[in-house]
mmCIF file of all heavy atoms in Angstrom:
data_model
loop_
_atom_site.group_PDB
_atom_site.id
_atom_site.type_symbol
_atom_site.label_atom_id
_atom_site.label_comp_id
_atom_site.label_asym_id
_atom_site.label_seq_id
_atom_site.Cartn_x
_atom_site.Cartn_y
_atom_site.Cartn_z
ATOM 1 N N ALA F 1 74.719 27.728 -46.602
ATOM 2 C CA ALA F 1 74.695 27.936 -48.060
ATOM 3 C C ALA F 1 75.062 29.351 -48.368
ATOM 4 O O ALA F 1 75.507 29.611 -49.567
ATOM 5 C CB ALA F 1 73.358 27.491 -48.653
ATOM 6 N N ALA F 2 74.815 30.322 -47.511
ATOM 7 C CA ALA F 2 74.984 31.711 -47.861
ATOM 8 C C ALA F 2 76.370 32.051 -48.407
ATOM 9 O O ALA F 2 76.434 32.777 -49.400
ATOM 10 C CB ALA F 2 74.623 32.556 -46.669
ATOM 11 N N PRO F 3 77.406 31.610 -47.809
ATOM 12 C CA PRO F 3 78.770 31.976 -48.418
ATOM 13 C C PRO F 3 78.942 31.579 -49.815
ATOM 14 O O PRO F 3 79.677 32.176 -50.571
ATOM 15 C CB PRO F 3 79.707 31.208 -47.421
ATOM 16 C CG PRO F 3 78.967 31.048 -46.146
ATOM 17 C CD PRO F 3 77.585 30.786 -46.611
ATOM 18 N N TYR F 4 78.323 30.405 -50.225
ATOM 19 C CA TYR F 4 78.467 29.915 -51.570
ATOM 20 C C TYR F 4 77.768 30.826 -52.588
ATOM 21 O O TYR F 4 78.298 31.185 -53.633
ATOM 22 C CB TYR F 4 77.961 28.498 -51.692
ATOM 23 C CG TYR F 4 78.836 27.535 -50.985
ATOM 24 C CD1 TYR F 4 78.580 27.212 -49.639
ATOM 25 C CD2 TYR F 4 79.890 26.914 -51.565
ATOM 26 C CE1 TYR F 4 79.372 26.322 -48.914
ATOM 27 C CE2 TYR F 4 80.731 25.977 -50.837
ATOM 28 C CZ TYR F 4 80.368 25.665 -49.532
ATOM 29 O OH TYR F 4 81.205 24.794 -48.856
ATOM 30 N N LEU F 5 76.547 31.245 -52.139
ATOM 31 C CA LEU F 5 75.794 32.157 -53.063
ATOM 32 C C LEU F 5 76.453 33.516 -53.113
ATOM 33 O O LEU F 5 76.535 34.156 -54.143
ATOM 34 C CB LEU F 5 74.367 32.334 -52.566
ATOM 35 C CG LEU F 5 73.476 33.290 -53.311
ATOM 36 C CD1 LEU F 5 73.403 32.882 -54.810
ATOM 37 C CD2 LEU F 5 72.104 33.367 -52.710
ATOM 38 N N ASP F 6 76.960 33.978 -51.889
ATOM 39 C CA ASP F 6 77.633 35.306 -51.860
ATOM 40 C C ASP F 6 78.865 35.268 -52.803
ATOM 41 O O ASP F 6 79.206 36.275 -53.481
ATOM 42 C CB ASP F 6 78.101 35.593 -50.427
ATOM 43 C CG ASP F 6 76.943 35.907 -49.510
ATOM 44 O OD1 ASP F 6 75.834 36.141 -50.023
ATOM 45 O OD2 ASP F 6 77.162 35.942 -48.292
ATOM 46 N N ALA F 7 79.528 34.122 -52.880
ATOM 47 C CA ALA F 7 80.694 34.052 -53.700
ATOM 48 C C ALA F 7 80.401 34.200 -55.156
ATOM 49 O O ALA F 7 81.054 34.895 -55.917
ATOM 50 C CB ALA F 7 81.442 32.709 -53.423
ATOM 51 N N ILE F 8 79.335 33.465 -55.612
ATOM 52 C CA ILE F 8 78.998 33.523 -57.027
ATOM 53 C C ILE F 8 78.408 34.884 -57.359
ATOM 54 O O ILE F 8 78.808 35.470 -58.373
ATOM 55 C CB ILE F 8 77.980 32.471 -57.377
ATOM 56 C CG1 ILE F 8 78.663 31.022 -57.243
ATOM 57 C CG2 ILE F 8 77.437 32.595 -58.775
ATOM 58 C CD1 ILE F 8 77.752 29.849 -57.542
ATOM 59 N N SER F 9 77.474 35.356 -56.541
ATOM 60 C CA SER F 9 76.904 36.677 -56.886
ATOM 61 C C SER F 9 77.872 37.795 -56.839
ATOM 62 O O SER F 9 77.825 38.724 -57.597
ATOM 63 C CB SER F 9 75.705 36.941 -55.935
ATOM 64 O OG SER F 9 76.169 37.042 -54.617
ATOM 65 N N GLY F 10 78.852 37.670 -55.957
ATOM 66 C CA GLY F 10 79.894 38.675 -55.889
ATOM 67 C C GLY F 10 80.774 38.721 -57.083
ATOM 68 O O GLY F 10 81.109 39.792 -57.609
ATOM 69 N N ALA F 11 81.146 37.492 -57.582
ATOM 70 C CA ALA F 11 81.915 37.391 -58.734
ATOM 71 C C ALA F 11 81.169 37.916 -59.984
ATOM 72 O O ALA F 11 81.747 38.734 -60.787
ATOM 73 C CB ALA F 11 82.347 35.975 -59.068
ATOM 74 N N VAL F 12 79.915 37.622 -60.108
ATOM 75 C CA VAL F 12 79.148 38.053 -61.281
ATOM 76 C C VAL F 12 78.983 39.623 -61.226
ATOM 77 O O VAL F 12 79.087 40.345 -62.211
ATOM 78 C CB VAL F 12 77.814 37.388 -61.281
ATOM 79 C CG1 VAL F 12 76.867 38.018 -62.411
ATOM 80 C CG2 VAL F 12 77.935 35.913 -61.574
ATOM 81 N N SER F 13 78.733 40.130 -60.044
ATOM 82 C CA SER F 13 78.540 41.525 -59.862
ATOM 83 C C SER F 13 79.822 42.295 -60.216
ATOM 84 O O SER F 13 79.836 43.379 -60.826
ATOM 85 C CB SER F 13 78.114 41.840 -58.467
ATOM 86 O OG SER F 13 76.825 41.396 -58.190
ATOM 87 N N ALA F 14 81.002 41.681 -59.793
ATOM 88 C CA ALA F 14 82.297 42.309 -60.115
ATOM 89 C C ALA F 14 82.487 42.436 -61.588
ATOM 90 O O ALA F 14 82.960 43.393 -62.173
ATOM 91 C CB ALA F 14 83.407 41.543 -59.451
ATOM 92 N N TRP F 15 82.114 41.365 -62.347
ATOM 93 C CA TRP F 15 82.242 41.356 -63.805
ATOM 94 C C TRP F 15 81.264 42.288 -64.442
ATOM 95 O O TRP F 15 81.636 43.044 -65.396
ATOM 96 C CB TRP F 15 82.127 39.944 -64.365
ATOM 97 C CG TRP F 15 83.415 39.199 -64.250
ATOM 98 C CD1 TRP F 15 83.827 38.566 -63.131
ATOM 99 C CD2 TRP F 15 84.449 39.151 -65.169
ATOM 100 N NE1 TRP F 15 85.090 38.012 -63.363
ATOM 101 C CE2 TRP F 15 85.502 38.361 -64.650
ATOM 102 C CE3 TRP F 15 84.584 39.704 -66.406
ATOM 103 C CZ2 TRP F 15 86.714 38.101 -65.314
ATOM 104 C CZ3 TRP F 15 85.811 39.427 -67.109
ATOM 105 C CH2 TRP F 15 86.826 38.641 -66.514
ATOM 106 N N ALA F 16 80.111 42.380 -63.905
ATOM 107 C CA ALA F 16 79.149 43.352 -64.461
ATOM 108 C C ALA F 16 79.554 44.776 -64.215
ATOM 109 O O ALA F 16 79.228 45.709 -65.020
ATOM 110 C CB ALA F 16 77.752 43.143 -63.815
ATOM 111 N N ALA F 17 80.263 45.050 -63.184
ATOM 112 C CA ALA F 17 80.704 46.443 -62.848
ATOM 113 C C ALA F 17 82.043 46.762 -63.511
ATOM 114 O O ALA F 17 82.474 47.921 -63.384
ATOM 115 C CB ALA F 17 80.843 46.527 -61.321
ATOM 116 N N LEU F 18 82.655 45.855 -64.172
ATOM 117 C CA LEU F 18 83.945 46.102 -64.762
ATOM 118 C C LEU F 18 83.740 47.240 -65.843
ATOM 119 O O LEU F 18 82.984 47.101 -66.716
ATOM 120 C CB LEU F 18 84.526 44.836 -65.505
ATOM 121 C CG LEU F 18 86.002 44.678 -65.557
ATOM 122 C CD1 LEU F 18 86.377 43.181 -65.685
ATOM 123 C CD2 LEU F 18 86.554 45.475 -66.701
ATOM 124 N N PRO F 19 84.516 48.311 -65.747
ATOM 125 C CA PRO F 19 84.284 49.391 -66.677
ATOM 126 C C PRO F 19 84.693 49.159 -68.087
ATOM 127 O O PRO F 19 84.286 49.873 -69.032
ATOM 128 C CB PRO F 19 85.051 50.541 -66.050
ATOM 129 C CG PRO F 19 86.166 49.870 -65.254
ATOM 130 C CD PRO F 19 85.518 48.624 -64.754
ATOM 131 N N LYS F 20 85.590 48.189 -68.340
ATOM 132 C CA LYS F 20 86.009 47.878 -69.679
ATOM 133 C C LYS F 20 84.953 46.904 -70.357
ATOM 134 O O LYS F 20 84.315 46.167 -69.683
ATOM 135 C CB LYS F 20 87.365 47.154 -69.605
ATOM 136 C CG LYS F 20 88.391 47.833 -68.749
ATOM 137 C CD LYS F 20 88.773 49.251 -69.193
ATOM 138 C CE LYS F 20 89.670 49.945 -68.220
ATOM 139 N NZ LYS F 20 91.037 49.366 -68.129
ATOM 140 N N PRO F 21 84.847 46.942 -71.695
ATOM 141 C CA PRO F 21 83.939 46.067 -72.310
ATOM 142 C C PRO F 21 84.308 44.543 -72.197
ATOM 143 O O PRO F 21 85.513 44.273 -72.188
ATOM 144 C CB PRO F 21 83.972 46.526 -73.807
ATOM 145 C CG PRO F 21 85.327 47.224 -73.929
ATOM 146 C CD PRO F 21 85.562 47.822 -72.645
ATOM 147 N N THR F 22 83.355 43.743 -71.896
ATOM 148 C CA THR F 22 83.564 42.331 -71.684
ATOM 149 C C THR F 22 82.817 41.484 -72.587
ATOM 150 O O THR F 22 81.721 41.767 -73.012
ATOM 151 C CB THR F 22 83.213 41.985 -70.158
ATOM 152 O OG1 THR F 22 81.812 42.431 -70.014
ATOM 153 C CG2 THR F 22 84.061 42.640 -69.210
ATOM 154 N N ILE F 23 83.425 40.339 -73.008
ATOM 155 C CA ILE F 23 82.887 39.444 -73.987
ATOM 156 C C ILE F 23 82.853 37.992 -73.386
ATOM 157 O O ILE F 23 83.866 37.497 -72.902
ATOM 158 C CB ILE F 23 83.697 39.420 -75.234
ATOM 159 C CG1 ILE F 23 83.766 40.788 -75.913
ATOM 160 C CG2 ILE F 23 83.093 38.369 -76.210
ATOM 161 C CD1 ILE F 23 84.805 40.929 -76.982
ATOM 162 N N ALA F 24 81.669 37.383 -73.353
ATOM 163 C CA ALA F 24 81.616 35.955 -72.927
ATOM 164 C C ALA F 24 81.692 35.155 -74.202
ATOM 165 O O ALA F 24 80.782 35.190 -75.009
ATOM 166 C CB ALA F 24 80.312 35.712 -72.196
ATOM 167 N N ALA F 25 82.752 34.505 -74.381
ATOM 168 C CA ALA F 25 82.993 33.617 -75.564
ATOM 169 C C ALA F 25 82.600 32.211 -75.124
ATOM 170 O O ALA F 25 83.503 31.473 -74.629
ATOM 171 C CB ALA F 25 84.423 33.667 -76.076
ATOM 172 N N MET F 26 81.374 31.781 -75.271
ATOM 173 C CA MET F 26 80.805 30.614 -74.703
ATOM 174 C C MET F 26 81.131 29.427 -75.650
ATOM 175 O O MET F 26 80.440 29.193 -76.619
ATOM 176 C CB MET F 26 79.358 30.792 -74.362
ATOM 177 C CG MET F 26 79.050 31.839 -73.388
ATOM 178 S SD MET F 26 77.339 31.916 -72.817
ATOM 179 C CE MET F 26 76.716 32.900 -74.188
ATOM 180 N N ASN F 27 82.209 28.700 -75.209
ATOM 181 C CA ASN F 27 82.658 27.536 -75.969
ATOM 182 C C ASN F 27 81.840 26.344 -75.786
ATOM 183 O O ASN F 27 82.091 25.246 -76.400
ATOM 184 C CB ASN F 27 84.113 27.229 -75.536
ATOM 185 C CG ASN F 27 84.195 26.981 -74.018
ATOM 186 O OD1 ASN F 27 83.838 27.892 -73.281
ATOM 187 N ND2 ASN F 27 84.493 25.810 -73.653
ATOM 188 N N GLY F 28 80.844 26.379 -74.949
ATOM 189 C CA GLY F 28 79.931 25.246 -74.656
ATOM 190 C C GLY F 28 78.728 25.758 -73.865
ATOM 191 O O GLY F 28 78.450 26.902 -73.744
ATOM 192 N N SER F 29 78.025 24.821 -73.212
ATOM 193 C CA SER F 29 76.828 25.172 -72.508
ATOM 194 C C SER F 29 77.049 26.051 -71.285
ATOM 195 O O SER F 29 78.180 25.968 -70.662
ATOM 196 C CB SER F 29 76.113 23.901 -72.067
ATOM 197 O OG SER F 29 75.790 23.124 -73.227
ATOM 198 N N ALA F 30 76.090 26.755 -70.830
ATOM 199 C CA ALA F 30 76.177 27.628 -69.680
ATOM 200 C C ALA F 30 74.888 27.466 -68.943
ATOM 201 O O ALA F 30 73.791 27.777 -69.474
ATOM 202 C CB ALA F 30 76.431 29.063 -70.053
ATOM 203 N N LEU F 31 74.966 27.096 -67.681
ATOM 204 C CA LEU F 31 73.779 26.892 -66.896
ATOM 205 C C LEU F 31 73.875 27.567 -65.545
ATOM 206 O O LEU F 31 75.041 27.808 -65.067
ATOM 207 C CB LEU F 31 73.517 25.369 -66.598
ATOM 208 C CG LEU F 31 73.390 24.497 -67.882
ATOM 209 C CD1 LEU F 31 73.293 23.035 -67.491
ATOM 210 C CD2 LEU F 31 72.080 24.929 -68.631
ATOM 211 N N GLY F 32 72.769 27.945 -64.943
ATOM 212 C CA GLY F 32 72.786 28.592 -63.610
ATOM 213 C C GLY F 32 73.734 29.705 -63.524
ATOM 214 O O GLY F 32 73.743 30.648 -64.310
ATOM 215 N N GLY F 33 74.658 29.621 -62.529
ATOM 216 C CA GLY F 33 75.586 30.698 -62.374
ATOM 217 C C GLY F 33 76.532 30.955 -63.481
ATOM 218 O O GLY F 33 77.054 32.080 -63.731
ATOM 219 N N GLY F 34 76.716 29.912 -64.308
ATOM 220 C CA GLY F 34 77.558 30.078 -65.556
ATOM 221 C C GLY F 34 76.873 31.000 -66.545
ATOM 222 O O GLY F 34 77.499 31.882 -67.150
ATOM 223 N N LEU F 35 75.564 30.860 -66.729
ATOM 224 C CA LEU F 35 74.840 31.757 -67.559
ATOM 225 C C LEU F 35 74.762 33.127 -66.915
ATOM 226 O O LEU F 35 74.831 34.163 -67.617
ATOM 227 C CB LEU F 35 73.434 31.256 -67.847
ATOM 228 C CG LEU F 35 72.585 32.095 -68.846
ATOM 229 C CD1 LEU F 35 73.338 32.317 -70.147
ATOM 230 C CD2 LEU F 35 71.221 31.450 -69.026
ATOM 231 N N GLU F 36 74.602 33.235 -65.664
ATOM 232 C CA GLU F 36 74.566 34.517 -64.883
ATOM 233 C C GLU F 36 75.950 35.218 -65.156
ATOM 234 O O GLU F 36 75.924 36.516 -65.266
ATOM 235 C CB GLU F 36 74.274 34.347 -63.474
ATOM 236 C CG GLU F 36 72.791 33.890 -63.278
ATOM 237 C CD GLU F 36 72.456 33.547 -61.827
ATOM 238 O OE1 GLU F 36 73.179 32.751 -61.195
ATOM 239 O OE2 GLU F 36 71.478 34.124 -61.290
#
């Protein structure tokens, strides 16, 4: 399971570290990794 968690956490961390302002335009529900 580790590679799957690493993939999601890595993607989220990359977006959190993006120096430009970011907007989540949530067109519907967000659960788990989607909300993260």
Side-chain angles (χ1 to χ4, degrees):
Y4 292 90
L5 178 57
D6 290 344
I8 294 179
S9 61
V12 173
S13 294
W15 278 86
L18 208 159
K20 312 299 174 67
T22 53
I23 301 166
M26 295 187 281
N27 56 298
S29 299
L31 301 173
L35 182 55
E36 289 174 308

